[in-house]
Amino acid sequence: MKNHTHISAKQMLFGLLFLLAFLGAILLLFTYRHDEKRFASLTAELFVNEMKSNTLSMHYTLANPEDFGIYDYEPTLPLYRPESALQDHAGMENALAALHSLHPDKLSDTDAYLWRLLTRSLENSLSLSSYAYYSDPLSPVSGTQSQLPILLAEYTFRSKRDVEDYLALLDQTDAYLSSLLLYEQEKAAAGLGSPASFLKETRGQCDAIITGNALEEGTHFLQTTFRERLEGLLKTDLITREEADGYLAQNDRLLKTVLLPAYTALGDGLLLLEDESVRPAGLASLPDGKAYYRQLLISQTGSYRTPEEIQDLLMADFTEEYDAIRTILSKNPVLLEALGSNPYADFPCRGASRMLFDLQERMKEDFPPIPGGTVSAAVKAVSESLEEYCAPAFYLTAPLDDTASNSIYINRLKTPDGLELYTTLAHEGYPGHLYQTVYHNRTLLTLGGRPARELLWYGGYQEGWALYVEFIAYDYAALLLQEDGQETAALLAQLESRNRRLQLCLYSLMDVLIHYEGAGCSQIAKMLEGFGITDTQSISDMYNYIIQSPCNYPKYYLGYLEILSLQERAKELWGDEYTDYRFHCFYLDSGPSDFLSLQERLEALQAFPVP
């Protein structure tokens, strides 16, 4: 007779409960993995589709597209088409629906944060897409007509494919600019056309930037930079001399027969749209202009404060800065005399290379080091033909996977040497844009982050940081001057810092008043008169600049104030464990974000590890 093991009812019940618990755990694990896989697939698809739709953008984002699953693509510029808005709107709705079908609490912390950023970014973009003709891609302030030649001139040649892609894109510039003219024509037909004076400015840029004389002489910067880039490939035997000669001939032909006529046609087309009855005015003058501006503020600055809250914040800050300036001057009346001279004629640190080195040395105590070794920074002068239309300086963002070599452009027409160059290099270089970009890119790759993070752009996060560290650089400069025995110049540097804050705060406030409250030039002039600013031409120029670039100043200064607000909250949460180094680690490690998400992350990470 065989023995039978007796199993009691209680044991059977325990066994059943264990089995159910085990199956539940397996199901939960499957659900988590299912959401993670779907999120990985969705973000990869979004990234690849975006890269394939704009080769110029892809080239500045990725040095080696094949390493990110992009093997076959046709060189493409993003042409505007009348049906584009509807297609983009539908695409954003579909992407949002896919994101909302996921459970962020079932994703890793990093993916959950990216989910939140993507969701908010798409929601903002979807809201803005309702205002089809409110943007201005051909603005006299950094419009496509002035930015495209710079992007073409700095298009890096790492391989033969890069040269061929570049030439293919150059061959599409006529269709690209023609599509933007079509957009301007549709804007005008919808009653939302640009003022005639603004169109004249853009036409002037079209005539000056691409000129037939320079192309015939072979001296245009799109010819000289092309030759220089080919030389790099020749030295490494990636192309032959015969191939280089063929590329040179093709580049010259396309510049003369495609790009030059494209700029001429754009200028002629804008001439036909000039309507003297359209007067310069802020967004508030347009139908639903205030609603558009509210959404544009979120998109450009990453701040979710209302325009009313922003006005209050700016007014309080203006008062604080104004009082600080009065205090400095009352204690040091000698500074008023120094302002009329050239106080930085003997600035102790001369030349861009020495300044960048000095900045890197001084920032070491309060900023984390860039991971992954050497970073080089070439400081270049803006081409003379672009000086009038370019910013005082700019940093060309390095690709995600190639951050060893970087370029900072200085507009010598607008950036004198001495203190101004020093603080400008801090803004664009260390610890500004270059440092922030390379730090983020290398950290993202090291930690295996999703490339879709590169699709997100936050003007307030980036420009706010650059302004934040620029003001720190004024402190560095004051120390530098003190070390050199220039006590008055050191005090003056602190005064310059306060004065710059005051100006940017005032310009940001004007942005809100013009675009949200509907203030006209006469009202702005009356306000400025209270601060002793009475020059009619200067007031008109500033008014027109702000109209042409809504949210530009708030992108910088509101971004800066949001960082200060975040910093104060970190001090409250971390108490005695707060250090600037730790806060900078938090900010940089979070990566480009809107300030609402950064605030939430800070609150959730009260136990953020001390570096």
Side-chain angles (χ1 to χ4, degrees):
M1 186 176 179
K2 295 180 179 177
N3 292 326
H4 294 275
T5 303
H6 180 69
I7 302 177
S8 68
K10 183 182 285 188
Q11 288 174 313
M12 288 183 65
L13 179 60
F14 281 151
L16 181 60
L17 289 174
F18 175 79
L19 179 61
L20 288 173
F22 177 74
L23 289 174
I26 292 295
L27 182 61
L28 185 64
L29 182 62
F30 174 78
T31 304
Y32 270 73
R33 287 181 176 173
H34 179 63
D35 276 40
E36 285 177 358
K37 286 181 179 179
R38 286 180 59 202
F39 185 72
S41 176
L42 172 62
T43 53
E45 184 180 357
L46 284 172
F47 181 72
V48 170
N49 288 343
E50 181 64 26
M51 292 296 101
K52 284 187 173 182
S53 70
N54 186 343
T55 308
L56 193 59
S57 175
M58 180 178 74
H59 188 77
Y60 277 92
T61 305
L62 302 174
N64 302 289
E66 61 277 5
D67 292 344
F68 297 84
I70 303 172
Y71 302 100
D72 299 316
Y73 63 89
E74 291 294 325
T76 304
L77 287 174
L79 307 185
Y80 167 78
R81 296 183 178 87
E83 66 274 13
S84 299
L86 287 175
Q87 292 173 348
D88 292 345
H89 192 91
M92 286 186 283
E93 284 185 329
N94 291 337
L96 262 178
L99 285 169
H100 285 147
S101 71
L102 300 173
H103 302 84
D105 56 327
K106 295 178 181 177
L107 302 174
S108 67
D109 289 344
T110 302
D111 279 350
Y113 190 61
L114 176 55
W115 180 92
R116 187 187 313 163
L117 294 174
L118 279 170
T119 300
R120 283 179 173 154
S121 179
L122 282 167
E123 287 171 348
N124 290 336
S125 297
L126 200 57
S127 296
L128 283 173
S129 70
S130 301
Y131 306 92
Y133 296 117
Y134 283 58
S135 63
D136 192 5
L138 296 174
S139 167
V141 179
S142 299
T144 300
Q145 73 284 350
S146 61
Q147 294 301 300
L148 180 62
I150 295 171
L151 294 174
L152 291 173
E154 279 296 309
Y155 195 100
T156 307
F157 293 163
R158 303 179 182 90
S159 65
K160 184 189 295 188
R161 173 69 192 263
D162 286 339
V163 183
E164 292 169 352
D165 283 353
Y166 170 89
L167 293 170
L169 294 177
L170 190 58
D171 199 18
Q172 296 175 37
T173 51
D174 54 352
Y176 180 49
L177 294 177
S178 177
S179 76
L180 294 182
L181 177 59
L182 173 62
Y183 177 77
E184 289 294 329
Q185 292 166 341
E186 291 180 358
K187 274 182 64 175
L192 299 169
S194 300
S197 58
F198 294 177
L199 295 176
K200 287 176 183 176
E201 283 188 64
T202 300
R203 281 200 298 111
Q205 293 174 15
C206 290
D207 293 340
I209 294 172
I210 310 295
T211 63
N213 288 340
L215 291 176
E216 288 301 327
E217 294 169 0
T219 58
H220 194 278
F221 67 89
L222 286 176
Q223 293 170 308
T224 57
T225 57
F226 187 80
R227 286 195 292 270
E228 290 166 3
R229 285 172 285 168
L230 287 186
E231 286 300 321
L233 295 181
L234 280 167
K235 288 178 182 177
T236 52
D237 295 325
L238 290 174
I239 60 172
T240 65
R241 172 55 65 182
E242 184 179 1
E243 288 172 328
D245 291 341
Y247 290 143
L248 284 167
Q250 193 175 352
N251 182 59
D252 281 354
R253 178 180 64 80
L254 291 172
L255 289 174
K256 295 172 184 176
T257 63
V258 178
L259 189 64
L260 177 60
Y263 268 77
T264 302
L266 177 59
D268 292 344
L270 294 178
L271 174 62
L272 297 176
L273 294 177
E274 290 179 14
D275 182 351
E276 296 294 342
S277 68
V278 181
R279 309 303 299 171
L283 292 171
S285 67
L286 303 178
D288 299 320
K290 292 180 68 170
Y292 172 72
Y293 181 69
R294 279 196 299 268
Q295 203 61 46
L296 190 66
L297 271 172
I298 295 173
S299 174
Q300 292 293 304
T301 69
S303 173
Y304 278 78
R305 298 176 194 261
T306 66
E308 291 81 7
E309 290 171 331
I310 292 170
Q311 283 189 64
D312 291 342
L313 179 67
L314 291 170
M315 285 299 295
D317 183 76
F318 185 89
T319 302
E320 181 181 336
E321 295 300 333
Y322 186 74
D323 289 344
I325 289 173
R326 290 184 63 184
T327 300
I328 293 173
L329 288 174
S330 65
K331 291 181 178 179
N332 306 278
V334 69
L335 294 181
L336 286 173
E337 297 176 17
L339 282 170
S341 62
N342 184 8
Y344 310 114
D346 296 320
F347 194 74
C349 191
R350 312 295 294 185
S353 296
R354 281 190 61 197
M355 287 180 177
L356 285 171
F357 177 78
D358 185 78
L359 287 162
Q360 289 177 78
E361 289 299 304
R362 293 180 187 274
M363 66 180 276
K364 283 181 177 178
E365 184 177 345
D366 292 325
F367 296 85
I370 293 176
T374 307
V375 180
S376 69
V379 179
K380 305 178 181 180
V382 170
S383 170
E384 289 184 8
S385 62
L386 289 170
E387 285 179 341
E388 187 178 344
Y389 317 110
C390 279
F394 56 89
Y395 162 69
L396 277 177
T397 306
L400 174 62
D401 53 335
D402 185 12
T403 52
S405 300
N406 298 266
S407 296
I408 297 171
Y409 276 86
I410 301 295
N411 188 339
R412 290 296 180 181
L413 185 67
K414 301 178 181 178
T415 308
D417 207 347
L419 176 69
E420 191 165 343
L421 180 59
Y422 185 83
T423 55
T424 295
L425 288 171
H427 184 113
E428 303 298 342
Y430 295 95
H433 287 313
L434 187 155
Y435 165 78
Q436 180 189 37
T437 299
V438 176
Y439 184 100
H440 166 69
N441 286 1
R442 291 189 176 182
T443 301
L444 184 69
L445 286 180
T446 301
L447 298 178
R450 304 204 184 280
R453 191 70 193 267
E454 297 298 288
L455 299 179
L456 300 169
W457 178 85
Y458 299 95
Y461 178 93
Q462 285 149 319
E463 297 298 352
W465 171 266
L467 195 57
Y468 168 79
V469 299
E470 179 185 325
F471 292 135
I472 291 175
Y474 274 99
D475 295 334
Y476 291 164
L479 286 172
L480 193 61
L481 290 161
Q482 282 179 339
E483 292 163 4
D484 196 53
Q486 300 185 50
E487 293 295 337
T488 300
L491 281 172
L492 201 55
Q494 298 287 4
L495 182 64
E496 296 266 19
S497 176
R498 290 290 184 179
N499 187 54
R500 178 151 166 76
R501 293 180 217 199
L502 190 74
Q503 286 182 335
L504 292 174
C505 181
L506 178 61
Y507 296 158
S508 297
L509 186 59
M510 287 167 57
D511 194 277
V512 180
L513 294 175
I514 291 169
H515 291 295
Y516 189 71
E517 300 293 350
C521 192
S522 60
Q523 292 168 288
I524 293 298
K526 188 174 181 180
M527 181 186 77
L528 293 177
E529 188 179 331
F531 301 109
I533 302 171
T534 57
D535 183 75
T536 305
Q537 188 60 53
S538 297
I539 293 171
S540 177
D541 289 345
M542 179 52 60
Y543 177 75
N544 286 334
Y545 181 91
I546 290 175
I547 288 175
Q548 293 168 358
S549 55
C551 297
N552 185 53
Y553 282 117
K555 178 174 61 181
Y556 288 81
Y557 201 73
L558 179 58
Y560 161 69
L561 292 180
E562 289 285 9
I563 292 174
L564 295 187
S565 176
L566 200 66
Q567 189 176 41
E568 286 305 309
R569 184 58 181 149
K571 290 177 181 178
E572 293 172 6
L573 291 172
W574 298 342
D576 293 340
E577 292 185 338
Y578 173 88
T579 63
D580 285 347
Y581 186 98
R582 184 182 178 190
F583 174 72
H584 295 155
C585 285
F586 164 79
Y587 190 84
L588 293 164
D589 289 341
S590 296
S593 310
D594 63 81
F595 288 105
L596 178 59
S597 297
L598 281 169
Q599 179 75 29
E600 291 170 350
R601 187 168 188 264
L602 181 65
E603 300 288 346
L605 294 177
Q606 290 191 36
F608 189 74
V610 180

